[in-house]
Amino acid sequence: MKIYIDGKFYDKENAKISVFDHGLLYGDGVFEGIRFYNGRVFRLEEHIARLFDSAKAICLDIGLSAGELTEALLQTIRLNDLRDGYVRLVVTRGDGDLGLNPANCPRATVVIIASKITLYPADKYENGLHVITCATRRIPHGALSPMVKSLNYLNNVLAKIEAQQAGAGEGLMLNEQGYVAECTGDNIFTVKNGRLFTPPISSGALAGVTRSAVFEIAAEMGIPMSEPEMTRYDIFTADECFLTGTAAEVIPAVQLDSRTIGNGTPGPITKRLIARFHELTATTGTVIYQ
Ligand code: PXG
């Protein structure tokens, strides 16, 4: 395995960054998780654009252009000779000292790891996930914009622990007002009376790349869709529910807090969206090997 750090490639054993890196000391940095399928990177431009937006929002100069970063990412996949897998792109504030001040970090650290991915077990795609509501709330806009895909994932990690301890596949996170934001690493959608719903960005949802792909598929299929503020009630009483994320793709959810959603099996619209999503991942995206 060859890992990119600041323009050079290292074997896994030697791929190390400083203990003075502010990504480690303060979670000061941003990241992306990107999938590639059948020799094509899915929605690469959108992921790169979101990374640059996240960096801009935290005053982080990546030190590379979008084009240069894209080329480095493709080169990392090629060097590892992969056609299907996952890329983790991490940009930290870089090496500094023990003080909080980012002015002491002269240069960002850029890490690119291309690897295989472990998915949810196949039966979850067939039978659906069980979800619980987490006591841990989504970070509020006033603390750190939930739009920023930052290295501060501690509240998501704590929510994930809650889900795991409850034996659930995913955890639902509400915002401070009690409206549904998203899950710990996935966006959430419902279907009711043939219409598609997902919480708005203002409720604390990440602008997921898979979420926007589902918007496009729904439009193509003529399924009406909207982004109202949502509560747990809307999920309890939905006909169908599913989650979206780069790792999970589109995965049915059939239970929330012991209430069965719909008839307790993945619904027909969910299944159609999953099928079309698979077509898109297999046939579109940035070609890796020219
Ligand atoms: N919300 C949050 C908080 C996320 O971290 C998504 C939604 C879905 O966005 P995309 O663009 O991937 O459709 C994410 C995705 C994991 C994992 O292991 C997921 C994410 C990051 C790190 C790990 O499931 N982000």
Side-chain angles (χ1 to χ4, degrees):
M1 184 191 241
K2 295 282 183 203
I3 294 166
Y4 173 103
I5 306 176
D6 293 335
K8 296 202 183 98
F9 289 94
Y10 300 86
D11 290 329
K12 192 178 174 191
E13 311 74 70
N14 298 318
K16 293 176 180 159
I17 61 166
S18 167
V19 292
F20 290 96
D21 193 295
H22 278 210
L24 174 70
L25 291 174
Y26 299 113
D28 184 357
V30 295
F31 78 103
E32 280 296 320
I34 306 169
R35 283 283 280 281
F36 51 101
Y37 301 82
N38 196 26
R40 291 165 173 266
V41 185
F42 189 62
R43 308 258 156 157
L44 180 55
E45 302 81 6
E46 284 179 48
H47 282 286
I48 296 285
R50 186 171 66 184
L51 184 83
F52 274 83
D53 284 348
S54 291
K56 185 168 192 183
I58 68 161
C59 302
L60 172 60
D61 178 2
I62 294 176
L64 295 172
S65 68
E68 288 166 339
L69 192 57
T70 300
E71 198 36 57
L73 183 140
L74 293 171
Q75 211 190 336
T76 308
I77 301 173
R78 287 181 203 128
L79 259 184
N80 288 283
D81 202 20
L82 295 166
R83 290 187 64 81
D84 292 270
Y86 181 85
V87 187
R88 177 59 59 91
L89 189 47
V90 184
V91 184
T92 78
R93 190 77 64 181
D95 255 20
D97 57 19
L98 293 178
L100 195 64
N101 190 355
N104 297 323
C105 305
R107 202 165 51 87
T109 301
V110 179
V111 176
I112 308 172
I113 307 167
S115 179
K116 293 278 175 195
I117 184 169
T118 41
L119 303 166
Y120 278 110
D123 77 283
K124 298 295 179 205
Y125 290 89
E126 277 150 39
N127 303 320
L129 287 174
H130 290 192
V131 178
I132 58 122
T133 305
C134 301
T136 305
R137 296 291 171 106
R138 181 79 172 131
I139 38 163
H141 290 273
L144 167 64
S145 171
M147 292 286 281
V148 175
K149 206 163 159 51
S150 84
L151 296 181
N152 279 272
Y153 257 51
L154 194 50
N155 79 315
N156 297 59
V157 170
L158 291 175
K160 188 81 186 174
I161 290 170
E162 289 184 54
Q164 224 129 44
Q165 286 176 345
E170 247 293 18
L172 180 69
M173 299 184 78
L174 309 178
N175 65 21
E176 281 198 307
Q177 289 72 42
Y179 291 105
V180 172
E182 59 178 352
C183 290
T184 68
D186 306 295
N187 292 110
I188 189 161
F189 286 76
T190 59
V191 177
K192 180 84 171 172
N193 299 328
R195 309 176 79 86
L196 198 56
F197 300 95
T198 195
I201 299 305
S202 56
S203 286
L206 185 79
V209 169
T210 320
R211 178 181 184 269
S212 65
V214 166
F215 286 5
E216 286 169 33
I217 296 171
E220 181 187 290
M221 291 179 171
I223 302 167
M225 106 132 256
S226 58
E227 301 169 71
E229 283 188 323
M230 293 172 74
T231 66
R232 292 164 71 225
Y233 170 89
D234 298 308
I235 299 173
F236 295 148
T237 59
D239 299 328
E240 303 179 31
C241 179
F242 61 87
L243 314 183
T244 66
T246 296
E249 304 180 320
V250 181
I251 188 163
V254 295
Q255 208 182 87
L256 175 63
D257 301 328
S258 311
R259 279 83 152 180
T260 299
I261 302 170
N263 68 4
T265 64
I269 291 183
T270 303
K271 285 183 181 165
R272 282 174 64 205
L273 293 169
I274 290 174
R276 181 66 184 135
F277 183 78
H278 285 160
E279 278 177 16
L280 287 184
T281 58
T283 58
T284 64
T286 306
V287 175
I288 301 165
Y289 303 94
Q290 298 288 355

